Amino acid sequence: MSDTLISVSHLTHEFAAHRTMFGASHATIRAVNDVSFDIARGETLALVGESGCGKTTTGRAILRLIEPTSGHVTFDGIDVLALQREPLRKLRRRMQVVFQDPHTSLDPRMRVGRTVREGIEAHELAEGAEADARVARALEEVGLRASDAAKLPHEFSGGQRQRIAIARALAVEPEFVVLDEAVSALDVTVQAQVLALLMQLQRDRGLTYLFIAHNLAVVERIATRVAVMYLGRIVEIAAAATLYASPQHGYTRALLSAVPVPDPRVKKKRIVWDGT
Amino acid sequence: MKFAAAVLVLFVVVAVAAPAIAPHDPRATPQSETQKNLPPSGAHPFGTDQYSRDVLSRVIYGARVSLGVAVVAVMLALTLGAAVGAVAGYVGGWTDTICMRFVDAVLSVPRVLLLLVLVASTGPLTVGGIIVLLGCTGWPGTSRLVRGEVRLLKERDYVLASRATGTPEWRVFVSHVLPGLVPQLLVTGTLALATVIPLEAGLSFLGLGVQPPTASWGNIISDAAERPGDTWWVVLFPGLAIVCTVLAVNTIGERLRERMDPRERPRT
C-alpha cells in the first residue's frame, strides 16, 4: 500500500533500571510496550499521553536516535531498524525531528546559519552561495529574516528558537517530521503561531507529521488521527473527530477532562483516571 | 588575578627576550678563581655560582628552558589526554572500559616515582626527551576529566538534533562536542602547568632532567657550592622564580575554573 508512509509494529523499548558490576541488567523498565500504528502520507498522527508514558521514546526509536529492543519500523517500504550506519544517515534526510526545548536543541556556540546549513552539507544538497541561499530561504519560510543566520541562538526568544529548529529540520526537504512536544515549551499565543506555521508548511509541502504532545487541546487543530498512550501502550487510536466526540477509553476521557476551558463560569467535572 | 597575570607576563617576556636582557653569557666560565661563589653585587646582582657563572643570566635563560619545557609538555599531555578521554567518552562500551582501566593503572603509580624509574632506565635525556616524558606521564588525569565532560556533552539535545539531521558522526563530534571541551582544557592545562614546572625543576635538580651546562631553574640550584647555606643566592633566586611562576599560574588557573563553573560563580 503506497498510502502508508510509516509503519510501526510491536515496537518495544526497555531501559535497564539497574546494572550489575559486569553490565548485565537485572531489572528493566518497559518504556514502550508493543506499540503498533501506521501513518499515512500527508496526515498528522498525534501521539498523546502524560509525561513518562513512552511517547518521546517511541518517536526517537522510529528515527533510530535510540535503538529499540524489538519491533519493526518501515519508512516508505524501507526497514529502518535493519539499516547500516551510512544508509541510515542518508535516510535521515527524509525523516526529521523538532525537539521540545528550543533552549537545549540549538548549539549555543553555533551561529544559526551554520546550524541550518549542517543538514544541507551533510546530504550534499548544495554548497557555497547556493547553500547560503537555501539557508536564507529556510529561515524566511519559518518567518525569520535571512540576516538572522549570522546570530547566535541566545539572541532569540523561545518561539523564534523553535522556528530555527523547524528551519533546520525542513532545510533538507524531508517527507516526515517527528514533532516531539514541539510547542509544549512555548506560551499559549506563541504556541498558536508555531502551530499555524507547522500546518502551513504541511499544506505547502505535503509533509507527514508524528505530533507528540501531552495535551489533547494542543493537537485538536492539527491532528488527523490521535493515538493515546498510557504506561508504554497505545490504549486508543482513532480519527481526531471521533476521539474528541466519543472517547472510548477511560484514560482518554480523563485526558479530555483535563483540558482547560477558558471560561471561569464553566464548572467542569474532572475525571481522575485510576487505571482500571 | 591581574597581579598574577602581570607576574606571568613578566616571566614570559624575560624568557623570550633572554638574549637581549641577560647581562652575561649563562654558560661562560671565567677561569679566574676570584669570580667563584661571589655574593650579589652591582656586577652580578644575583651573584655567581661555583663555576663562576652569572646567576642572573642563568635564571633568565633558565626561564626559557623551564617555561618552554613545561608549556610544550602540557600541550602534549592535553592532546593525548583529550584524545583518549574523548574516544572513551564518546564511543563508550568496551573501548571506554579498557581506556579507563589503563588510566587507573597509570594513575595508581605516583607520577614522580614513574618519572624517576623511566629516567633511570633511559639515562640522561635531551630537552626534547624530557618534554616527551613529562607529556606522556601527564595525560591520564586530563583524559578522565575530558571523558566525563564528553559524556555530558554527547547527551545534549543539540548533539542529538545534529545527528538526526544526518550529519556524519565525526562531524557531530567535531562541531558540537569538541568546542564544548575548550573551557575545561584551558583550565586543566593551566593547572597542569603549575604541577609540571616544579616537576621539571625537581628532576633537573636531581640531575635527571635538563643537563648542564644548559640552565634550567632546577639545575641552577644544584650548582650551589657543597654547602648551599654558604652560597644562598644560588638557591634563592631560581627558587623564587619557581615559586612565583607556580603561584601565578595556579591563581590564574583557579580564577579560570571559578569563572567556567557556574556553581562557583559569585552571586551579585
Side-chain angles (χ1 to χ4, degrees), chain A residues 22-252:
Chain A
F22 303 102
S25 56
H26 28 217
T28 54
I29 293 167
R30 197 164 284 186
V32 178
N33 192 352
D34 197 24
V35 163
S36 303
F37 56 80
D38 289 347
I39 308 176
R41 208 178 278 278
E43 80 164 343
T44 299
L45 177 70
L47 190 58
V48 183
E50 65 195 27
S51 305
C53 75
K55 51 196 196 299
T56 290
T57 310
T58 304
R60 290 185 180 189
I62 292 171
L63 298 171
R64 254 181 92 183
L65 291 173
I66 54 169
E67 298 291 336
T69 313
S70 63
H72 289 283
V73 176
T74 55
F75 176 88
D76 198 15
I78 302 163
D79 184 348
V80 177
L81 301 185
L83 287 180
Q84 298 289 313
R85 198 186 177 98
E86 190 56 19
L88 173 67
R89 190 183 77 72
K90 292 234 167 77
L91 183 67
R92 292 199 188 287
R93 190 194 66 71
R94 302 175 62 191
M95 32 197 257
Q96 282 295 311
V97 60
V98 176
F99 290 111
Q100 172 171 15
D101 185 354
H103 293 272
T104 59
S105 71
L106 300 172
D107 189 336
R109 281 172 295 267
M110 192 177 267
R111 302 208 176 268
V112 167
R114 262 192 76 197
T115 296
V116 176
R117 199 188 169 105
E118 226 179 13
I120 297 172
E121 283 180 347
H123 298 290
E124 294 166 356
L125 302 176
E127 50 186 52
E130 206 202 319
D132 290 338
R134 272 203 187 219
V135 170
R137 222 182 312 140
L139 289 174
E140 280 164 357
E141 213 172 353
V142 298
L144 297 168
R145 284 192 301 266
S147 58
D148 289 335
K151 293 185 188 163
L152 286 167
H154 73 84
E155 298 174 60
F156 295 91
S157 69
Q160 288 173 317
R161 280 162 164 253
Q162 200 58 299
R163 286 169 190 269
I164 296 166
I166 294 168
R168 163 173 62 191
L170 295 187
V172 296
E173 291 170 2
E175 293 147 60
F176 171 62
V177 183
V178 173
L179 300 162
D180 186 0
E181 302 256 16
V183 298
S184 305
L186 309 174
D187 60 47
V188 180
T189 40
V190 181
Q191 212 171 54
Q193 290 164 6
V194 173
L195 221 47
L197 170 70
L198 288 169
M199 288 162 78
Q200 174 71 42
L201 290 166
Q202 183 173 38
R203 271 196 302 278
D204 294 349
R205 299 181 169 215
L207 291 167
T208 306
Y209 286 152
L210 175 64
F211 194 106
I212 298 170
H214 59 254
N215 179 343
L216 273 170
V218 169
V219 304
E220 194 169 0
R221 278 173 61 207
I222 196 170
T224 321
R225 287 187 304 142
V226 179
V228 178
M229 205 166 168
Y230 182 65
L231 297 181
R233 288 176 187 276
I234 289 185
V235 295
E236 182 167 4
I237 183 162
T242 318
L243 186 118
Y244 285 93
S246 59
Q248 295 300 302
H249 195 274
Y251 181 65
T252 311

Side-chain angles (χ1 to χ4, degrees), chain B residues 98-112:
Chain B
I98 291 166
C99 289
M100 285 306 112
R101 290 304 81 77
F102 180 68
V103 165
D104 290 344
V106 177
L107 282 175
S108 66
V109 183
R111 190 169 175 195
V112 177

